Amino acid sequence: MEYHFPVYKTTSPKEKPDQDHLSFGTIFTDHMFEMSYDEGKGWYDGKIIPYGPIHLEPSSMVLHYGQEMFEGLKAYKAEDGRILLFRPEKNAERTNATNERMCMPQMDPELMVEAIKKIVEVDKDWIPEAQGTSLYIRPFMIATDPYLGVRPSKTYKFYIILSPVGAYYKGGLSPTKIFVEDEYVRAVSGGTGFAKVGGNYAASLKAQVKANEKGYTQVLWLDGVERKYVEEIGTSNAFFKIDGEIITSPLTGSILPGITRDAVIQLLKEWGIKIIEKRITIQEVYEAHEKGNLEEVFATGTAAVISPVGELCWKDRIITINKNKIGDISQKLYDTITGIQTGKITDTFGWTVEV
Ligand SMILES: *Cc1c(COP(=O)(O)O)cnc(C)c1O
């Protein structure tokens, strides 16, 4: 199917930001993608319009019951000038998995990828080129029925906004301090933990604030039932290297199926490094540390790609991992994935998609 999206250009383009001082998610480009959905009619009126406020009825369902979802991916400018996306079809696939759980409409994955390509192309001059920078792409969908009853909405809007973002780690990869949260929980199996929805994030803020107050960057989430199995680190998937083997939680229903997580698993397999998807307890992680076998801990996600962990705090027991230095595997994964994303390393997996 061919998709055609009309482009309504802004008459007042903004000034581009200084590429050397970009942070995350504060600056937005000149345009956005917008599309509507009505029950019985399907998705219609996909178009590119100037970036700006959206008009909603105060009674819009999303504002009351949180029926919404989002995605996140990046566009990179390769040295040869090509614009590359990293596995956008996976974001489209995950959108449909999220939407199924949230009683929101399915979207043809091809439509979503075409919409992403189109908006990135229109605002391509906003893609920063400095080392480590990229254009963050945020697709999201909201329920728009003006109604205060509780049921799935019959109308929705879908948007894509773009934000030039800086290098996550200014001076190269630096290990983070992580607080193991054993009071609040993020998700339980049967809930929405595997879906990329705002509600999960709203529910996580309290623990994040608590961790920040204690001087930690993020929390490590334990499972919501027994509070002993390690699940995720903040909004990233978690990996533990113990005695030469790498362990990550299986997709139990309370874990977000990260696209970076999937790439990491494929790369480790390709390199012949043992990677096991199994549940492990925080107790086992600490025991491995006591025996001197906890070699690396890292988190994976689109924003930072690979984020090494240098310190864990669980019930006031603080441990330092790999002398608070980046592990070899973390560094190699980071270099390889960012190399493929930016076209510096040949993509033998077919992960990159040219705009
Ligand atoms: C988005 C997200 C991730 C990482 O997924 P990527 O596709 O790798 O960016 C991990 N955990 C949570 C809770 C997330 O929302």
Side-chain angles (χ1 to χ4, degrees), residues 150-167:
V150 179
R151 58 148 172 80
S153 181
K154 297 177 202 297
T155 60
Y156 297 86
K157 289 274 191 204
F158 173 71
Y159 297 91
I160 305 171
I161 57 174
L162 307 173
S163 174
V165 296

Side-chain angles (χ1 to χ4, degrees), residues 205-220:
L205 294 174
K206 186 80 181 164
Q208 191 185 317
V209 168
K210 177 176 145 191
N212 293 160
E213 279 169 2
K214 289 176 187 284
Y216 289 82
T217 342
Q218 266 300 351
V219 302
L220 187 154

Side-chain angles (χ1 to χ4, degrees), residues 94 186 196 201 232 234-237 256 258-261 300-302:
R94 189 167 65 191
R186 190 191 83 91
K196 221 165 166 70
Y201 281 68
E232 295 204 53
T235 58
S236 323
N237 296 111
L256 198 289
I259 296 164
T260 321
R261 173 188 182 278
T300 69
T302 297

Side-chain angles (χ1 to χ4, degrees), residues 175-196:
T176 53
K177 288 172 67 174
I178 302 294
F179 183 80
V180 181
E181 177 54 56
D182 62 358
E183 179 186 0
Y184 303 111
V185 300
R186 190 191 83 91
V188 291
S189 136
T192 56
F194 68 90
K196 221 165 166 70

